[in-house]
Amino acid sequence: QGRALGRVETAQGEQGKMDWGHFGNWDGQRLYGFALTLCWSRMQYVEFTRRQDMETLLNSMVHAFHYFGGVTATVLTDNMKTVVADRIDGVPQFHPKMLDFASYYGFVPRVCHPLPATGEGQDRIDGPLYPVELLAGAEVRFVAGVEPAGAGLV
């Protein structure tokens, strides 16, 4: 039987959540959208990149922290490989670079519990990030090396 998932309310400054979305191919390369959302206000920062590696993730997080003017107490994510290096007896083992980064910026990384395998959308926070969700009310920032698709989008 399915598990009911409800909306979790948090206090101001308590938690942000981050994830990646895929926006197809552009000039022969994949285009990704990084989003960090403040759980209390639903304010969102979005940045488009061509990579999802550790360096890109950490830089995108720094850009989001500057945009928001601070850091939440915790940052929730799915079980992306740049955050969770492994799980031992169900306990996430965080990537050492993520732990160093979190310690420096003063937040606690948290991951959601893996959901039973369904073939898609596993380990997701609120399901996949869709373009409409990413762009709704967000300031769009184009990263060096990624040109905007159209001036009217910004």
Side-chain angles (χ1 to χ4, degrees):
Q1 188 175 22
R3 191 173 76 177
L5 299 176
R7 185 166 148 166
V8 177
E9 296 297 329
T10 62
Q12 185 174 3
E14 182 180 342
Q15 183 168 274
K17 64 181 180 179
M18 66 177 179
D19 203 357
W20 292 99
H22 179 242
F23 290 85
N25 295 319
W26 193 20
D27 285 341
Q29 294 185 352
R30 290 179 157 243
L31 181 64
Y32 301 101
F34 166 84
L36 198 149
T37 305
L38 301 180
C39 294
W40 181 76
S41 67
R42 308 299 188 258
M43 186 176 184
Q44 190 171 60
Y45 172 84
V46 177
E47 182 173 311
F48 291 100
T49 70
R50 291 193 177 175
R51 298 184 325 218
Q52 292 180 305
D53 61 3
M54 179 65 77
E55 180 182 358
T56 304
L57 173 66
L58 299 182
N59 283 328
S60 296
M61 291 178 73
V62 169
H63 298 157
F65 298 158
H66 284 279
Y67 175 75
F68 293 131
V71 179
T72 54
T74 64
V75 176
L76 175 68
T77 185
D78 60 15
N79 289 275
M80 61 180 76
K81 292 177 184 177
T82 47
V83 176
V84 179
D86 196 7
R87 279 187 174 268
I88 299 175
D89 296 326
V91 178
Q93 305 300 306
F94 290 96
H95 193 292
K97 286 185 180 180
M98 178 55 69
L99 289 177
D100 289 345
F101 180 82
S103 175
Y104 179 82
Y105 280 95
F107 70 89
V108 176
R110 298 203 187 279
V111 294
C112 61
H113 297 287
L115 298 175
T118 60
E120 64 177 89
Q122 294 173 231
D123 300 344
R124 303 302 279 189
I125 297 169
D126 287 325
L129 291 173
Y130 295 104
V132 172
E133 291 175 332
L134 280 170
L135 297 175
E139 174 181 307
V140 178
R141 172 192 174 114
F142 289 95
V143 181
V146 177
E147 302 300 325
L153 295 176
V154 199

